[in-house]
Amino acid sequence: MTTAIDHESLVRSAEEHGNRYIAAFNSGDLAVIDAMYTEDAISVWEPGNPLSGDARREALAEFIAQRPTMTATLRESHVTGTAALLVVDWAIDVPLEDGGTEHLEGVGLDVLRMGPDGNWRFAVDNPFGTDA
C-alpha cells in the first residue's frame, strides 16, 4: 500500500513531467520530447484523430519546426500507482511568416505511465481533451 508521503512524491514527479516537457518543447528538442512518450503512446492534436508511432513523431516534428512556444498551468493531478491523469491549461504561440502570431489554447487531458526507470511518460497526450 502506498503511504501519503509516497503518494505526494508521485504527484510531484508527475507534475514535474509537464515542466520538463515545456522546456523541451520550447527549445525544440525533438529527441527529449519523444523520450517523454511511451512506445505505444497516442496524441490527439486534432480532436477525433489520434496519432501513434511514426505518424505521431512526424506530426510533432512538423509542428516543432514552426518554433512554437508553450506555457501551461497544471489544473489537476490524480496519481495512483504507476498511472497519472493530468488536467492542464495550456497556450501555444506559433510565429507566422507575416510576422504575426497564431495563438492556440485549450484544456488538455493527459494520461502518464511511470516506466520501470521511474520516469513518467505520456500514454495519452490530448491537448484538446475538453473539446473532444
Side-chain angles (χ1 to χ4, degrees):
M1 178 173 222
T2 305
T3 67
I5 294 171
D6 290 336
H7 181 75
E8 288 174 17
S9 177
L10 288 172
V11 169
R12 278 194 305 276
S13 68
E15 291 171 352
E16 183 57 32
H17 175 271
N19 295 332
R20 288 190 311 272
Y21 184 83
I22 291 167
F25 185 97
N26 289 340
S27 71
D29 193 332
L30 284 170
V32 170
I33 294 169
D34 193 49
M36 297 182 80
Y37 288 84
T38 63
E39 188 60 37
D40 61 346
I42 63 166
S43 293
V44 190
W45 297 314
E46 179 184 327
N49 186 27
L51 299 175
S52 62
D54 288 339
R56 180 189 58 77
R57 284 186 279 281
E58 290 166 10
L60 181 61
E62 184 178 310
F63 188 65
I64 293 295
Q66 297 176 55
R67 306 200 46 81
T69 56
M70 173 191 287
T71 58
T73 303
L74 183 64
R75 184 188 292 190
E76 295 180 41
S77 175
H78 306 283
V79 177
T80 180
T82 59
L85 171 66
L86 306 181
V87 181
V88 180
D89 295 311
W90 60 269
I92 295 176
D93 290 316
V94 183
L96 300 173
E97 290 182 15
D98 66 6
T101 303
E102 178 182 10
H103 183 77
L104 307 168
E105 61 184 50
V107 179
L109 299 177
D110 299 321
V111 176
L112 306 180
R113 270 194 244 143
M114 183 183 290
D117 60 1
N119 289 317
W120 290 100
R121 290 180 176 83
F122 286 107
V124 179
D125 177 12
N126 187 358
F128 296 103
T130 60
D131 294 338

